[in-house]
Amino acid sequence: SSATEHSGFNTMVTKAYPLRILNHNTEEHNNSGGGAEPYVGLEFDTAEEAREYYNVYAARTGFKARTGQLYRSRTDGTVSSRRFVCSKEGFQLNSRTGCTAFIRVQRRDTGKWVLDQIQKEHNHELGGEAEETTTTTTPRPVRAPAPTKLATTVNQHRPKMKVVDESDREQRSSSKSSLKRFKSCSVGEGEVSNDHHSKAVSGSEPYAGLEFASANEACQFYQAYAEVVGFRVRIGQLFRSKVDNSITSRRFVCSREGFQHPSRMGCGAYMRIKRQDSGGWIVDRLNKDHNHDLEPGKKNQDGLKKITDDVTGGLDSVELIELNNNNNKHIKKATSRENRIGKEWYPLLLDYFQSKQTEDMGFFYAVELDVHSGSCLSLFWADSRARFACSQFGDAVVFDTSYRKGSYSVPFATFVGFNHHRQPVLLGCAMVADESKDSFVWLFQTWLRAMSGRPPRSVVADQDSSIQQALSQVFPGAHRRYSAWQMREKERENLRPFPSEFKYEYEKCIYQSQTVVEFDSVWNSLINKYGLRDDVWLREIYERREHWAPAYLRASFFAGIPINGAFEPFFGPSLDALTPLREFIGRYEQGLEQRREEERKEDFNSYNLQPFLQTKEPVEEQCRRLYTLTVFRIFQNELVQSYSYLCLKTYEEGAMSRFLVRKCGNESEKHAVTFNATNLNSSCSCQMFEHEGLLCRHVLKVFNLLEVKELPSKYILHRWTKNAEFGFVRDMESGVSSQDLKALMVWSLREAASKYIEFGTSSLEKYKLAYEIMREGGKKLCWQR
């Protein structure tokens, strides 16, 4: 029967039937609750049935439905409830109106799903059926024409990459990841991989009822169709059977579906296939309309994409991307790569990544797969806070591989930037499977993709050839600097047999040479004096001096990362060589929260504390108003020190002047400063501004002599100011695409909203204040239409 009353309960529980049953004109259909209005107590066998039921109701009522939030049990991580909402819920798109209509279903101990919350009222006009949920009479199954072979371009020796970003969140299996089940089927984007029998149809239009022998064949067909029409394909949602966990349906979507990545624009084009009892697959839903320009006949050259046919636990709707299309002239025998990551780490981390995605829409992670064995290799992940921090402070990056120092059991690496308080901020994490160039190329390309394709201006990393070659390939325009700790290790090892006099002069040459000419001259004199022309290590490091010698690095911006100082790992002692598997995630989150709490304290101090002024110069007051506390103190020290210097004009022609600035009582400490009176451009031979983004005492001395009362705006970098979190807005004129800007705005607003939540929930009074502020702001944003 359609309804069953349970004694002892006031609520009637009605059995609702899924869409596949409602499609047929049967007695069950006529009598089922599927055509009724949803109400609290309505029962379903699965969450998927509830979704399809709400889709049917939405189509009949006149709106479109989509999947909303899901919630997981804190006990075992399984999905405990789901929300299905009106497609106009939220404000992320112009088409959305903040509609609050939804249903929520909750999983009971019996395994059933019961509707426990509902909102039927919409804040927009209703009318027309949802295109995606409209059901038509299924035509007689028609087999797709015989497929034709596509061209293949595959590097046999590179692993494929699995990328899972924040858009691939809906309809995940709640079961644990089984790493043995990674199994790639041969579907390329304009190309076909190793499977020489894979085929794709070109020139045929997809339509409801089109039948395929396999999901792989359907994907190839849609890929070939996409190439003719002029768009690219990626793998969308898949759905699994509650009985045996086998895949029952798949969606293939336009690569511009969704909004989470800057290149995406919410395109609704897709093809869905459903598995038949016979084992074949049939097209049951289709949308051919795109919301962007198409490029017919243009083959995709961005890389080879593949799908997985049998994966679980959050790796369902993914792209496999081959990021290295260079054909090696010398082909070695294919062998599986070494892996320093213990197999037991993958299930733990993948489960953690999936749980993070349920609470953080911007969470990104990627897995590198070995093309030969199908096993997992390197891992990369970054939460939305790290991705947004990269838009603010990703200009100078440290790729920290401290695990390589000793006998670390876990090859854990971090990408670290420095914020406007000169504190380290996390820009991404990785587990590095092996130390080959290919592994690091994959990692750097993945990090770049997660960070909206904005490369850093400078990178600090180990001097190993595999890392440096990968950096040169992925970030060709970035300045590269060797890690200070590694240089110190190499020096201790190679300079041990030399006399102490040589070591003293060696240090003096490196850290007291002011120009590259001076460095080269002193170095050569030193080598000749001690007869070291044949020393291999000294010769090698001199050839690479632009990556470690301060005189060569001063002209490059490194955000004040000390050249001669050892870099403290971001997580400090929280994560070390002996960190056991069961404690890794807890310590990771504890260390991350500690760092972010330190950042919050500095934010608070910069806005609420005011340092004392030590001079009467207007420039000091100007910088106190703009800079963060930490940066202001550095500037203030330079300003105070400028009083102990003498300034002498040595050259003048028109608006151009040159000054010699030397310290009182120290003839050897002197610098040349040039000044242009027309545009107030100034430069110093010490190059502090070029290296750190702050003016030096020598330029400040010249400004004081010439009565320049305030610093020109060009000399106050936005990244050092209290408002640095809005820095990307200033970059709009510097080539940031509209998609990049949208992603940055989303991350920025999300970060601001999280602070409202954090402080607004600390007390009832602060909650009322925060709520009132947001409500008033909402009025200005015209939420009420």
Side-chain angles (χ1 to χ4, degrees):
S1 64
S2 62
T4 303
E5 294 189 27
H6 300 270
S7 59
F9 295 89
N10 296 325
T11 303
M12 176 181 289
V13 179
T14 301
K15 179 65 180 289
Y17 291 86
L19 184 62
R20 60 179 178 272
I21 297 177
L22 296 176
N23 287 343
H24 304 286
N25 184 19
T26 64
E27 184 177 352
E28 274 190 325
H29 174 209
N30 295 332
N31 296 331
S32 74
E37 292 280 321
Y39 57 88
V40 173
L42 198 55
E43 185 183 80
F44 305 91
D45 285 336
T46 65
E48 169 65 8
E49 285 187 5
R51 187 188 72 83
E52 294 188 344
Y53 170 86
Y54 197 55
N55 280 343
V56 173
Y57 167 73
R60 179 169 56 81
T61 306
F63 67 96
K64 295 182 182 181
R66 60 184 176 84
T67 303
Q69 295 167 302
L70 60 78
Y71 303 90
R72 292 184 181 274
S73 166
R74 294 189 176 182
T75 305
D76 58 9
T78 58
V79 178
S80 58
S81 66
R82 279 190 175 278
R83 279 169 55 99
F84 305 108
V85 302
C86 174
S87 64
K88 292 184 179 289
E89 182 262 359
F91 298 93
Q92 294 90 333
L93 310 178
N94 293 332
S95 61
R96 299 186 184 176
T97 63
C99 183
T100 57
F102 77 98
I103 65 169
R104 191 182 84 164
V105 291
Q106 196 158 31
R107 181 167 54 84
R108 299 296 194 224
D109 293 338
T110 60
K112 301 290 186 180
W113 293 75
V114 177
L115 195 157
D116 69 334
Q117 291 184 15
I118 186 171
Q119 169 65 266
K120 295 183 182 179
E121 287 72 23
H122 298 259
N123 66 354
H124 55 91
E125 294 183 1
L126 302 177
E129 292 187 344
E131 187 174 286
E132 197 169 311
T133 60
T134 301
T135 305
T136 58
T137 302
T138 304
R140 180 175 58 87
V142 180
R143 291 301 304 271
T148 56
K149 184 81 175 276
L150 292 178
T152 176
T153 305
V154 177
N155 182 344
Q156 301 282 356
H157 302 283
R158 281 288 296 130
K160 301 298 181 273
M161 178 182 81
K162 173 168 292 186
V163 173
V164 182
D165 67 22
E166 66 280 5
S167 66
D168 304 315
R169 299 176 59 231
E170 298 181 36
Q171 304 300 335
R172 293 198 172 84
S173 166
S174 61
S175 62
K176 302 269 185 179
S177 297
S178 176
L179 301 175
K180 296 180 180 178
R181 301 178 67 190
F182 282 112
K183 195 165 140 189
S184 298
C185 76
S186 308
V187 180
E189 182 174 335
E191 300 169 303
V192 176
S193 71
N194 307 11
D195 185 356
H196 299 292
H197 301 290
S198 296
K199 300 177 181 178
V201 180
S202 59
S204 298
E205 290 273 335
Y207 53 88
L210 190 59
E211 190 180 69
F212 301 92
S214 67
N216 185 41
E217 183 180 300
C219 187
Q220 292 182 33
F221 168 84
Y222 196 57
Q223 177 61 58
Y225 162 73
E227 184 178 316
V228 173
V229 174
F231 65 98
R232 294 189 296 167
V233 174
R234 62 184 177 84
I235 311 306
Q237 298 162 309
L238 61 76
F239 304 93
R240 293 183 179 275
S241 166
K242 190 79 171 181
V243 178
D244 59 5
N245 204 39
S246 61
I247 298 172
T248 57
S249 66
R250 277 192 176 279
R251 277 169 55 101
F252 308 111
V253 302
C254 174
S255 64
R256 298 196 176 189
E257 181 263 358
F259 294 91
Q260 292 83 351
H261 193 268
S263 64
R264 300 181 186 174
M265 51 197 306
C267 182
Y270 76 98
M271 182 180 82
R272 196 181 89 158
I273 56 172
K274 202 164 190 177
R275 192 183 65 193
Q276 305 298 292
D277 293 338
S278 63
W281 296 75
I282 190 170
V283 176
D284 71 329
R285 294 185 189 175
L286 182 69
N287 182 2
K288 297 181 183 179
D289 298 327
H290 297 262
N291 65 354
H292 54 92
D293 294 334
L294 303 174
E295 301 178 73
K298 182 177 180 180
K299 289 191 176 183
N300 173 35
Q301 298 298 329
D302 295 339
L304 179 64
K305 298 199 174 185
K306 302 177 69 180
I307 67 170
T308 60
D309 213 15
D310 191 17
V311 295
T312 60
L315 295 178
D316 289 343
S317 307
V318 301
E319 300 173 8
L320 293 179
I321 305 178
E322 171 57 65
L323 289 170
N324 181 7
N325 288 328
N326 298 322
N327 293 318
N328 297 324
K329 293 182 179 179
H330 177 63
I331 304 298
K332 298 180 180 179
K333 184 177 180 181
T335 56
S336 293
R337 281 166 44 186
E338 177 191 6
N339 190 350
R340 296 182 59 186
I341 305 172
K343 291 182 180 179
E344 69 277 8
W345 284 82
Y346 293 104
L348 175 83
L349 291 174
L350 294 175
D351 279 351
Y352 173 67
F353 298 159
Q354 294 159 43
S355 66
K356 291 298 291 184
Q357 284 190 326
T358 64
E359 59 190 53
D360 181 357
M361 294 175 60
F363 191 91
F364 180 105
Y365 71 94
V367 184
E368 184 188 26
L369 296 183
D370 190 313
V371 68
H372 306 294
S373 64
S375 60
C376 289
L377 291 174
S378 296
L379 297 166
F380 170 82
W381 70 94
D383 62 12
S384 58
R385 177 76 176 272
R387 298 175 77 184
F388 177 59
C390 195
S391 71
Q392 305 164 285
F393 312 115
D395 43 9
V397 176
V398 174
F399 177 56
D400 182 24
T401 51
S402 298
Y403 72 87
R404 306 172 74 243
K405 288 183 182 180
S407 57
Y408 274 65
S409 58
V410 182
F412 177 60
T414 55
F415 293 84
V416 178
F418 286 80
N419 66 12
H420 50 331
H421 307 298
R422 291 173 76 118
Q423 297 170 309
V425 289
L426 192 65
L427 306 180
C429 298
M431 290 284 187
V432 184
D434 68 342
E435 296 183 352
S436 65
K437 175 189 172 184
D438 288 344
S439 185
F440 289 117
V441 165
W442 175 86
L443 183 57
F444 297 150
Q445 288 176 325
T446 304
W447 179 82
L448 188 62
R449 181 177 186 267
M451 304 306 162
S452 301
R454 305 181 75 188
R457 292 171 58 184
S458 53
V459 182
V460 178
D462 291 355
Q463 60 182 282
D464 292 51
S465 60
S466 57
I467 295 178
Q468 291 299 319
Q469 289 173 19
L471 287 172
S472 178
Q473 178 178 325
V474 182
F475 309 124
H479 301 286
R480 290 177 283 127
R481 192 175 100 193
Y482 294 158
S483 298
W485 73 264
Q486 198 181 40
M487 280 299 299
R488 299 289 82 79
E489 290 289 332
K490 297 287 186 181
E491 287 170 353
R492 279 192 288 270
E493 176 185 344
N494 290 278
L495 300 182
R496 186 178 296 112
F498 294 166
S500 56
E501 294 82 3
F502 172 82
K503 295 175 184 177
Y504 170 77
E505 292 186 52
Y506 172 86
E507 294 279 331
K508 186 176 179 181
C509 171
I510 292 174
Y511 298 113
Q512 293 188 16
S513 297
Q514 297 299 317
T515 66
V516 294
V517 174
E518 182 183 354
F519 173 83
D520 290 342
S521 175
V522 175
W523 179 275
N524 286 313
S525 298
L526 182 63
I527 296 300
N528 290 332
K529 177 179 177 181
Y530 288 90
L532 298 173
R533 285 290 172 191
D534 296 329
D535 188 275
V536 176
W537 183 75
L538 288 173
R539 185 168 63 248
E540 286 180 352
I541 64 168
Y542 180 71
E543 289 173 354
R544 293 178 285 179
R545 59 195 179 279
E546 69 274 11
H547 298 307
W548 61 270
Y552 279 86
L553 293 167
R554 285 197 181 95
S556 304
F557 180 76
F558 279 93
I561 303 171
I563 292 178
N564 59 344
F567 174 76
E568 180 186 353
F570 181 84
F571 289 94
S574 298
L575 299 175
D576 56 31
L578 303 177
T579 300
L581 172 65
R582 64 183 180 276
E583 296 179 17
F584 178 84
I585 290 177
R587 291 195 190 183
Y588 164 81
E589 291 201 321
Q590 181 182 7
L592 183 58
E593 178 56 31
Q594 181 178 339
R595 287 287 194 182
R596 289 177 174 173
E597 177 60 26
E598 291 168 0
E599 184 178 1
R600 285 191 287 268
K601 288 179 180 177
E602 284 301 315
D603 281 338
F604 178 86
N605 291 340
S606 288
Y607 277 106
N608 294 280
L609 301 180
Q610 198 169 49
F612 291 109
L613 297 176
Q614 296 188 28
T615 73
K616 296 181 179 179
E617 303 294 340
V619 69
E620 188 181 15
E621 172 59 37
Q622 175 197 15
C623 291
R624 181 175 70 168
R625 187 174 67 252
L626 298 174
Y627 284 144
T628 61
L629 275 178
T630 303
V631 174
F632 173 72
R633 289 188 180 115
I634 296 171
F635 169 82
Q636 188 181 54
N637 180 63
E638 291 297 314
L639 181 63
V640 171
Q641 291 297 327
S642 71
Y643 286 95
S644 61
Y645 282 75
L646 297 175
C647 184
L648 176 66
K649 183 183 292 185
T650 59
Y651 172 83
E652 181 175 14
E653 183 178 344
M656 290 295 298
S657 302
R658 185 176 296 123
F659 299 85
L660 178 66
V661 181
R662 66 177 180 85
K663 190 168 186 178
C664 298
N666 187 349
E667 291 289 336
S668 62
E669 188 178 337
K670 53 189 176 183
H671 290 276
V673 176
T674 59
F675 178 78
N676 188 327
T678 304
N679 53 20
L680 300 184
N681 281 350
S682 185
S683 63
C684 178
S685 58
C686 79
Q687 296 182 303
M688 179 176 172
F689 181 77
E690 288 79 4
H691 190 68
E692 298 190 35
L694 291 168
L695 282 179
C696 62
R697 59 193 67 179
H698 317 112
V699 171
L700 293 174
K701 181 66 179 180
V702 172
F703 278 3
N704 180 266
L705 178 69
L706 299 177
E707 297 187 344
V708 177
K709 299 300 183 185
E710 287 199 343
L711 298 189
S713 59
K714 70 184 79 173
Y715 293 119
I716 300 180
L717 296 191
H718 193 72
R719 74 166 338 275
W720 296 131
T721 66
K722 299 174 184 178
N723 295 321
E725 58 189 332
F726 305 110
F728 68 86
V729 176
R730 295 166 59 92
D731 295 335
M732 288 181 63
E733 298 82 17
S734 61
V736 176
S737 67
S738 58
Q739 291 92 343
D740 281 348
L741 183 61
K742 181 179 178 66
L744 295 173
M745 289 191 294
V746 167
W747 293 335
S748 177
L749 291 173
R750 188 179 292 140
E751 181 68 15
S754 69
K755 290 179 180 177
Y756 272 91
I757 295 171
E758 178 184 355
F759 294 109
T761 54
S762 59
S763 70
L764 184 59
E765 289 303 314
K766 288 185 178 180
Y767 161 77
K768 292 178 180 179
L769 177 61
Y771 186 87
E772 184 63 25
I773 292 171
M774 290 191 293
R775 193 173 70 86
E776 291 301 315
K779 291 179 180 179
K780 294 181 180 180
L781 287 172
C782 302
W783 286 358
Q784 302 299 327
R785 296 181 181 272

